[in-house]
Amino acid sequence: MSEYLEEKIKIGISACMYGCKFRYNAKGWNQLEYLGRDASSYVWYPVCPEVQAGLGVPREAIRITGESGSSVWEGSGKVISSSGKNLTHALTESCKNALESLLKAEVSVFIYMEGSPSCGVYRTTLKNNRLGKPPGVFGHLLLENGFFLIPASDLSSPVKRWDWRRRMLAFLWLKKQTIDSKADLYGVWHTLKFLCQEIDESQARLLGHEIANLKALDASEAQSYKQIILNMLRRPSTASKIKNRLWKHYSHYRKQMGKSVEGIQRPNDMRSMTALAQELMKMELEAMDTDYLFGAAPVVNRKKKERDVVE
Ligand code: SF4
C-alpha cells in the first residue's frame, strides 16, 4: 500500500519563475502555468535574493569572479555588477536572509532559475553570456542545506514534472520518518527501494544488501542511512528508466491483481512524453484505488480517507 503525505506541501521558488518580472532586464516567467490546477495544491514561497539585496528592476547584470558561487562564500570570489560595483556583501546578506525565511517556514523544496549567478544550481551560464561556474551564490546555500531542488524548466515537461513530484513526495515523507530501529529502517526501505533502484540500480542494490545484513543500528548510523536515501531521491530519473520501470511494475500488478490497466504500453512502444505521463498517472490512480504499492511513486499527497472516492 502507498504511504500518504496529507499536508499541503511548501515550495520555495525563484520569484522570477513565479511570474514576478524581477530579472535584471525586467523579465520574468510564470512557470506555474505548466502545473495547471495542481499549482493550488502547494503553498508557494517566492524569494529573490537580488531584489532583496536592494537592487532594483531593471538593474545591471551581475557576475561572479572566481570559480563559482561557492567561492564567494569561501572568500575567494566576488559578486560584481557590469559597471564594476562590488555587491558581494549585499548579495550574501540577502541570500542568508532568504534562506532563513525559507527555513523558518520549514520549506525544504526549491524551484530555481537555471543560469542565474544567484539562484542557479547546476548551471550558471546563460546562452552566450559566461557568468561563472555553478552553483550560484544562493544556489550554494540551497545545496548546502539539503534542499530538494527542481530546475524551473522541468515544469514544462510532463514526464519530468511527474518525476520530480513523485521523488519530492518520497523525499518529504522520508524526512518526517523517525528511524530508531532496524525495523524502522526496513520499513522505510521497503517503501522506497523500487524508486531508489530506478534512480541508481547499483547503489540501491548495495544499500539494500547492507540494510538486510545490519546487525545493529545506532542513532548516527540511522541518520546516515536516512541521509543517503534522501540524497538518492534528489537525483532525477530518465524517460527510458521510467518507461522500463512502469512496465515492470505494471506486469507485477497484472500478475498480482489479475487485472489490466488500459493504455499502459511496453518500454519500446513509441509514444509522446505527454502520453507517457498519462500512463504514469493512470497507474498511480489504479494503484491507489486497489491499495497496491506502485513502487515508482510510493508516496501520494492526499488525505487517506479520500482514497476510497478516487475515480
Ligand atoms: S534568478 Fe533569483 S535573483 Fe535572479 S531575478 Fe530570479 S529570483 Fe531574483
Side-chain angles (χ1 to χ4, degrees):
M1 192 195 284
S2 307
E3 293 292 342
Y4 284 76
L5 203 59
E6 302 196 28
E7 71 270 17
K8 257 199 171 186
I9 290 160
K10 300 171 176 181
I11 305 186
I13 182 166
S14 298
C16 59
M17 297 288 101
Y18 186 73
C20 308
K21 299 191 172 185
F22 277 7
R23 295 280 292 157
Y24 71 96
N25 51 6
K27 284 192 174 163
W29 297 268
N30 183 5
Q31 291 292 102
L32 301 197
E33 275 177 1
Y34 293 110
L35 300 183
R37 275 186 306 165
D38 265 2
S40 60
S41 345
Y42 305 106
V43 184
W44 299 97
Y45 293 77
V47 298
C48 176
E50 291 181 24
V51 165
Q52 286 170 249
L55 307 173
V57 180
R59 58 184 173 275
E60 292 179 336
I62 58 167
R63 69 188 164 88
I64 296 168
T65 67
E67 266 303 294
S68 66
S70 304
S71 59
V72 173
W73 294 104
E74 285 152 12
S76 56
K78 288 190 185 112
V79 180
I80 306 289
S81 75
S82 51
S83 66
K85 208 161 157 197
N86 187 340
L87 299 170
T88 310
H89 180 71
L91 192 71
T92 49
E93 284 305 300
S94 71
C95 287
K96 283 194 259 180
N97 290 339
L99 175 72
E100 203 187 310
S101 66
L102 294 174
L103 294 178
K104 221 186 257 170
E106 299 183 331
V107 176
S108 51
V109 176
F110 195 87
I111 298 178
Y112 64 92
M113 156 80 187
E114 303 94 325
S116 159
S118 300
C119 293
V121 176
Y122 298 113
R123 187 169 66 87
T124 51
T125 309
L126 287 171
K127 235 190 250 171
N128 306 324
N129 184 12
R130 186 126 193 96
L131 296 168
K133 292 178 196 153
V137 181
F138 188 51
H140 170 92
L141 293 187
L142 295 169
L143 278 172
E144 211 181 35
N145 283 272
F147 274 71
F148 184 94
L149 295 164
I150 304 162
S153 61
D154 276 11
L155 302 197
S156 61
S157 149
V159 171
K160 285 183 178 171
R161 218 158 52 220
W162 181 85
D163 177 41
W164 70 252
R165 185 176 55 83
R166 49 92 189 236
R167 285 184 297 104
M168 173 188 74
L169 294 177
F171 176 91
L172 293 173
W173 174 81
L174 175 58
K175 262 184 102 94
K176 284 177 64 177
Q177 303 308 303
T178 308
I179 304 178
D180 283 335
S181 63
K182 279 197 295 177
D184 292 340
L185 183 59
Y186 291 154
V188 157
W189 186 242
H190 172 74
T191 302
L192 300 177
K193 67 180 174 193
F194 298 113
L195 175 50
C196 290
Q197 284 165 5
E198 179 192 316
I199 295 166
D200 187 333
E201 175 109 39
S202 56
Q203 190 189 1
R205 296 271 173 219
L206 279 174
L207 190 60
H209 192 68
E210 240 181 71
I211 291 173
N213 289 306
L214 271 179
K215 296 268 179 286
L217 185 74
D218 65 28
S220 80
E221 281 169 332
Q223 196 44 45
S224 107
Y225 278 113
K226 187 172 177 174
Q227 198 52 56
I228 291 170
I229 305 171
L230 285 171
N231 286 341
M232 280 178 88
L233 295 171
R234 292 164 85 197
R235 287 154 54 189
S237 187
T238 61
S240 119
K241 286 184 193 173
I242 289 171
K243 280 188 216 167
N244 278 315
R245 290 285 164 166
L246 170 63
W247 185 253
K248 204 167 171 176
H249 289 300
Y250 173 55
S251 304
H252 180 264
Y253 174 88
R254 257 191 334 194
K255 214 165 166 186
Q256 190 167 313
M257 311 299 280
K259 58 190 235 178
S260 314
V261 181
E262 208 187 313
I264 308 286
Q265 301 188 61
R266 291 174 181 277
N268 293 333
D269 290 346
M270 294 292 284
R271 75 270 223 192
S272 68
M273 289 296 112
T274 305
L276 174 58
Q278 279 163 355
E279 289 168 47
L280 292 160
M281 285 185 283
K282 209 177 216 183
M283 189 64 223
E284 259 189 70
L285 283 175
E286 183 70 24
M288 264 191 278
D289 272 352
T290 53
D291 284 344
Y292 174 81
L293 173 65
F294 177 30
V299 180
V300 293
N301 185 211
R302 63 175 65 218
K303 294 215 185 299
K304 273 187 194 173
K305 59 177 189 234
E306 287 174 14
R307 195 181 60 207
D308 298 330
V309 295
V310 170
E311 294 191 323

